[in-house]
Amino acid sequence: MSDFTNNHDDVVPSIETEPHSSGLQNAKTTVVNNASAAADAVKNHSITQNITNGPVAENVKDQTAKTSAEFSNLAASRTTPATPAATGQPLTHYHSFFSSLLSWEHPRASGIAYLATVLFIFAARYLDIIRYSFKLTYMVLGITVLAEAVGKALFSTGFTSQVRPKKYYTVSKETLNSLIGDVHELINFFVIETQQIVFAENLFVSGAAFIGAFLSYYLIKVVPFWGLSLIGTSVLFIAPLIYKTNKELIDANLSKASSVINQQTEQVKQLASQQAARATETTKSFVGDYSAKAQEMIGSARGRSVSPVASAKPAKTEPLNVKENIPAYKNEDFPAAPKEEFKSAPAVVDEPLIST
């Protein structure tokens, strides 16, 4: 007992566990020292110095800083627009966010977003994401379990437990509330935007949506869903970019087309007004003619209904020979009127033509 305790009854460390813990500590120290030495050797190498301090590295750092700044500006653009909807309702901050994203105000951020969307569509088409997620899960769990088991078997302390964080990560209430608020704003963005398109608040946007839906109705018969999604994403990102890079030319052509349409519209209006004036004059003349004829007919009908007035000059009349014009009839010329009542004739029975 004297080997394991001192005079103050303090417990002496176990002889069996001390070598294992010291060996594990020595192994860890050796691995760390070797890794740091290798890292220093690679870092101080001439090739590494030329790469990290050369023009390529400076360009990469510059582009990385610009990209990070554009993403920061894009995130800062999530503000509620000053112009409300046609109904007077305030819009969501995602309206300004997607407007800034699709208008290529920040080219690097918009380009990365477009490429990420395209890669996601191809990954969803050609990769079995759910299957690979399960594969990644079992591989990670297998590595952690094997490392913990081997560490406990050899050094009585698992490797996984050595890298375990002192405190597990948790989602704070403020973060969750902020996330829920962003999801709520995003849902309202799609709801409001759909209603704006349906009720034609912006005529060009509603027209473009109509053309897209019309073409999609026929393309869905020959193009798969992922291809249709790729086409829609490309149009959604590339069309504003084409307009932005050729804005002056497109605006000039649009102004010319608008002026031509206005001229044609004015000519059509003038022709329509002239035709309407001619039709009005023709109708008035017809109405006047028919009204005059109607008045004449009414006047003549009234004149016929009134007794004629004797004229100043008596009309010449020839004497009529009454004796010549009126024939002389006598009572004997007419048959005598019947004095008895009429009697119906007896019914005749039809006899057959051929006797039986």
Side-chain angles (χ1 to χ4, degrees):
M1 294 296 292
S2 61
D3 294 335
F4 297 98
T5 60
N6 55 11
N7 296 328
H8 300 283
D9 295 333
D10 294 332
V11 179
V12 177
S14 175
I15 298 175
E16 296 179 356
T17 58
E18 184 175 359
H20 290 285
S21 60
S22 61
L24 179 60
Q25 186 66 29
N26 293 332
K28 289 173 61 178
T29 304
T30 303
V31 171
V32 171
N33 292 334
N34 292 333
S36 62
D40 292 337
V42 172
K43 183 178 180 180
N44 297 324
H45 198 273
S46 59
I47 298 176
T48 306
Q49 292 294 326
N50 292 330
I51 294 175
T52 56
N53 298 324
V56 177
E58 292 295 331
N59 189 15
V60 170
K61 291 180 181 179
D62 186 27
Q63 295 298 327
T64 303
K66 290 181 179 179
T67 304
S68 178
E70 288 192 4
F71 273 105
S72 299
N73 295 331
L74 180 63
S77 66
R78 293 193 305 170
T79 57
T80 303
T83 304
T87 57
Q89 293 173 296
L91 300 177
T92 64
H93 58 254
Y94 276 103
H95 281 83
S96 57
F97 174 78
F98 283 109
S99 176
S100 178
L101 178 66
L102 297 178
S103 62
W104 293 78
E105 293 181 1
H106 310 287
R108 293 176 178 82
S110 299
I112 292 174
Y114 171 65
L115 291 178
T117 306
V118 171
L119 290 177
F120 176 77
I121 292 173
F122 278 108
R125 170 62 180 88
Y126 292 104
L127 297 178
D128 194 352
I129 298 177
I130 298 177
R131 181 169 174 267
Y132 282 107
S133 63
F134 282 117
K135 182 178 180 180
L136 179 63
T137 302
Y138 84 72
M139 289 178 67
V140 171
L141 292 177
I143 291 172
T144 56
V145 170
L146 182 62
E148 184 70 14
V150 171
K152 285 187 176 181
L154 297 179
F155 305 101
S156 69
T157 302
F159 294 113
T160 306
S161 60
Q162 296 296 319
V163 297
R164 182 187 302 150
K166 295 181 180 180
K167 185 179 180 181
Y168 289 118
Y169 177 78
T170 57
V171 179
S172 62
K173 186 176 181 181
E174 292 77 11
T175 304
L176 185 60
N177 290 335
S178 177
L179 180 61
I180 293 174
D182 285 341
V183 173
H184 177 259
E185 289 288 320
L186 183 61
I187 293 173
N188 281 334
F189 163 75
F190 287 108
V191 172
I192 294 175
E193 194 68 24
T194 302
Q195 294 178 87
Q196 286 179 331
I197 292 173
V198 170
F199 295 105
E201 183 172 334
N202 190 328
L203 187 60
F204 293 101
V205 175
S206 299
F210 161 73
I211 295 174
F214 180 77
L215 294 177
S216 299
Y217 173 75
Y218 291 99
L219 288 177
I220 198 64
K221 299 178 181 179
V222 294
V223 179
F225 181 75
W226 70 271
L228 200 62
S229 301
L230 183 62
I231 294 173
T233 302
S234 300
V235 171
L236 197 63
F237 276 91
I238 301 301
L241 180 60
I242 294 174
Y243 173 74
K244 185 177 180 180
T245 54
N246 304 280
K247 185 176 181 180
E248 295 180 357
L249 179 62
I250 294 174
D251 289 342
N253 291 327
L254 288 177
S255 62
K256 290 181 181 179
S258 178
S259 62
V260 170
I261 292 172
N262 291 331
Q263 291 176 0
Q264 296 296 327
T265 304
E266 290 295 330
Q267 291 180 0
V268 171
K269 287 182 179 179
Q270 292 178 359
L271 291 175
S273 62
Q274 293 176 0
Q275 295 296 331
R278 290 178 183 177
T280 303
E281 293 178 357
T282 305
T283 304
K284 287 182 179 179
S285 62
F286 282 144
V287 170
D289 294 341
Y290 283 119
S291 62
K293 290 181 180 179
Q295 289 178 358
E296 290 178 359
M297 294 175 64
I298 292 172
S300 61
R302 288 180 179 177
R304 291 176 182 175
S305 62
V306 179
S307 59
V309 180
S311 60
K313 295 181 180 181
K316 295 181 180 181
T317 58
E318 295 180 357
L320 296 176
N321 190 359
V322 179
K323 293 182 180 180
E324 293 179 359
N325 294 332
I326 300 174
Y329 294 103
K330 298 180 180 180
N331 294 332
E332 290 79 6
D333 294 334
F334 297 97
K339 297 180 179 180
E340 297 179 356
E341 295 181 357
F342 292 98
K343 296 180 180 180
S344 59
V348 179
V349 179
D350 294 335
E351 295 181 358
L353 297 178
I354 301 174
S355 60
T356 55

